[in-house]
Amino acid sequence: MTSETNRIPEYQQYIDGRWAGSTRLFDDLDPYRGTVMARVPAGTRADAARAVDAAAAAFPAWADLPPAEKQTLFLRAADIVERRRDEIAGLLAAETGCAAGFAGFQTLTAIRLLRQASNWAYLPVGEVIRSDNPGTFALALRRPLGVVAGISPWNGAQVLAWRTVANPLAFGNTVVLKPSEEAPITAGLLVAEIMAEAGFPAGVLNVVTHAPGEAVPIADEFFERPEVRCVNFTGSSATGRILAERAGRALKRCVLELGGYNPLIVLDDADLDYAVEAAAFAAFFHSGQICMSARKVLVERTVYGPFIERLTARAQELRSGDPADPGTVIGPLITPAALGRVARDVQDAVAAGAKVLTGGTADGPCYRPTILADVPAGARIHSAETFGPVLVAHPVENADEAVAIANSTSYGLSAGILTSDSQRGFALARRIDAGVVHVNDQTVADEPQLPLGGVKDSGWGRSGPHSMADFTELQWVTTREGTGGYPI
Ligand code: ADP
């Protein structure tokens, strides 16, 4: 819900089915222009408390709502996203610097997710298990948890916000969503607006926004309230670790989709033209600001020279600039601080002996697609995620060495193996420690029905219908015929 002051829209929070103002607003900045694109409530712990109250009150009725009624609501929301996709793309460009290609990917995936999730309320919710006690009928039944607190990021603002809310809602939970302060509209308030229009009951989804640096009081409310049974987080591994520690202390579940240092392996039998396109997409789509972006390309030495030469030329063709311009591939990084971090990681690697094959400089608020070679093991970028369009190139002697390097980081989200021999690729895929491996394809992919998620420092939990395990609990129920038989 918006109003306008001096033509800058002002947003409100969404709590208990109502739009709620705030005594304090903060500036939501356009990362390309550096201008204020909207003013958004600087929500407080008291707002989070009201949101948790509303979600807890809405939970019993939502949990019991017949699947057909849930289905109608999800399908209506999908239709609204479809109808508003151009407007959503405009907001994604203005708020997150997202160019047209990634905006289209986000809205399409969100629409598919909502249509898929509309059926998840029908999934079987239990098993009959044989009991050793004669006359006892035993069941394992799934029940929703209660209130799920969602914490969503700015990078894939729309698609990740929808994933944060749709999975737990589909299994009968209610949700309080706290979007990133870098994308309070597209990662939060816009989802509330669409769900309100679709007719979801009051309190089923609540959205609380906050000013930069003020996430902790909202999170305090999530961890300290007994009604909140799970914290569902997508973001950096550093923040995920803090939240997992807090969840441990509070004995709450947490679902974590975190960072990655995703390897792309190019074998000597790969189609090199295709491999170059795949690598350019994996490393530079959305300026490398995707958790699944390829960070290191491991190329068999016999094809390393021609592959790198062609990839370097391809990277130089990618146009950076205004994300609202349909010809732009490389939009801005999300903040000047993010640009500074990427530039520093590259400079540190170069100071330690790395070679810049292309890029290595900023273009206004954008960072040019960059390929580094000879990155020494001591450089941060050698094995830690840098959230920008920077790819580390590394020759390997054979596939075994590629697998060993792929598994040598602390992360394990996504990997790609480019080969024209699918048997060979499949055998290697089974040896890679990652939640997702694509054979003869690259690392960036999302389909709502498939179990996206990581291992090691990339987190735990899976999206899609498999998230039933995360967003429900099993209850053992028995009924017994007859009496007696106890040993005292
Ligand atoms: P990034 O550095 O890419 O913004 P973060 O992991 O810091 O990634 O942010 C992802 C989400 O986590 C955002 O919604 C942000 O507000 C939130 N967040 C960051 N720090 C904390 C924290 N200490 N407690 C709770 N949420 C946090």
Side-chain angles (χ1 to χ4, degrees), residues 23-402:
T23 47
R24 209 157 51 95
L25 298 174
F26 72 97
D27 292 342
D28 189 5
L29 300 180
D30 175 327
Y32 185 69
R33 291 175 178 76
T35 50
V36 179
M37 59 88 62
R39 293 206 168 88
V40 174
T44 61
R45 181 162 179 174
D47 295 321
R50 286 190 299 120
V52 173
D53 289 343
F59 171 64
W62 176 250
D64 284 348
L65 193 74
E69 291 182 42
K70 291 195 177 91
Q71 185 178 48
T72 303
L73 295 169
F74 277 98
L75 291 176
R76 262 196 231 140
D79 290 347
I80 296 168
V81 175
E82 194 160 50
R83 170 166 55 76
R84 294 177 64 177
R85 67 206 301 175
D86 291 344
E87 176 205 342
I88 294 171
L91 283 167
L92 282 168
E95 191 179 46
T96 68
C98 175
F102 190 50
F105 175 88
Q106 289 199 58
T107 45
L108 181 65
T109 309
I111 292 163
R112 288 182 175 166
L113 166 64
L114 288 164
R115 293 195 174 134
Q116 298 260 353
S118 75
N119 280 332
W120 296 343
Y122 282 108
L123 289 176
V125 291
E127 301 167 64
V128 180
I129 301 172
R130 283 187 193 281
S131 166
D132 282 326
N133 295 324
T136 294
F137 183 68
L139 297 161
L141 294 178
R142 291 206 170 271
R143 312 190 318 154
L145 306 174
V147 178
V148 173
I151 300 180
S152 65
W154 52 267
N155 60 332
Q158 262 289 281
V159 66
L160 298 177
W162 280 112
R163 190 177 76 191
T164 302
V165 304
N167 289 300
L169 287 178
F171 296 116
N173 304 281
T174 52
V175 171
V176 178
L177 173 65
K178 186 214 82 58
S180 165
E181 57 268 56
E182 306 298 347
I185 300 168
T186 52
L189 297 171
L190 188 56
V191 168
E193 209 175 285
I194 291 168
M195 288 183 56
E197 188 182 339
F200 280 81
V204 167
L205 170 72
N206 307 271
V207 178
V208 178
T209 56
H210 64 87
E214 296 181 7
V216 173
I218 314 267
D220 288 345
E221 186 66 17
F222 294 165
F223 285 109
E224 288 174 27
R225 286 291 293 272
E227 297 91 332
V228 175
R229 298 310 317 146
C230 174
V231 174
N232 179 24
F233 174 73
T234 301
S236 64
S237 297
T239 302
R241 197 179 299 279
I242 293 169
L243 298 181
E245 282 173 7
R246 298 199 67 181
R249 209 171 308 128
L251 289 179
K252 293 187 195 298
R253 287 189 187 196
C254 63
V255 176
L256 304 171
E257 209 268 72
L258 308 177
Y261 190 83
N262 309 296
L264 183 64
I265 298 173
V266 181
L267 298 181
D268 58 2
D269 60 5
D271 175 326
L272 276 203
D273 288 336
Y274 170 65
V276 165
E277 289 305 313
F281 176 82
F284 304 131
F285 193 43
H286 195 39
S287 303
Q289 299 174 110
I290 303 176
C291 54
M292 296 168 287
S293 296
R295 305 293 175 200
K296 186 173 274 189
V297 64
L298 299 159
V299 190
E300 278 201 274
R301 197 177 289 282
T302 46
V303 293
Y304 182 78
F307 172 80
I308 291 297
E309 193 181 315
R310 282 189 239 178
L311 181 61
T312 302
R314 186 73 184 94
Q316 287 163 358
E317 287 169 12
L318 303 175
R319 218 171 85 191
S320 55
D322 185 349
D325 175 345
T328 295
V329 177
I330 304 291
L333 296 190
I334 186 72
T335 56
L339 184 69
R341 278 193 296 273
V342 171
R344 199 172 51 242
D345 278 351
V346 171
Q347 282 155 15
D348 288 353
V350 170
K355 274 208 223 55
V356 178
L357 301 183
T358 187
T361 52
D363 172 16
C366 309
Y367 198 77
R368 291 195 172 84
T370 298
I371 304 174
L372 300 179
D374 301 332
V375 175
R380 186 183 174 279
I381 212 166
H382 177 270
S383 45
E385 182 181 51
T386 294
F387 224 56
V390 182
L391 182 68
V392 172
H394 190 89
V396 290
E397 298 312 321
N398 52 44
D400 287 340
E401 188 188 355

Side-chain angles (χ1 to χ4, degrees), residues 402-417:
V403 171
I405 293 175
N407 287 343
S408 68
T409 72
S410 62
Y411 298 95
L413 185 56
S414 181
I417 304 170

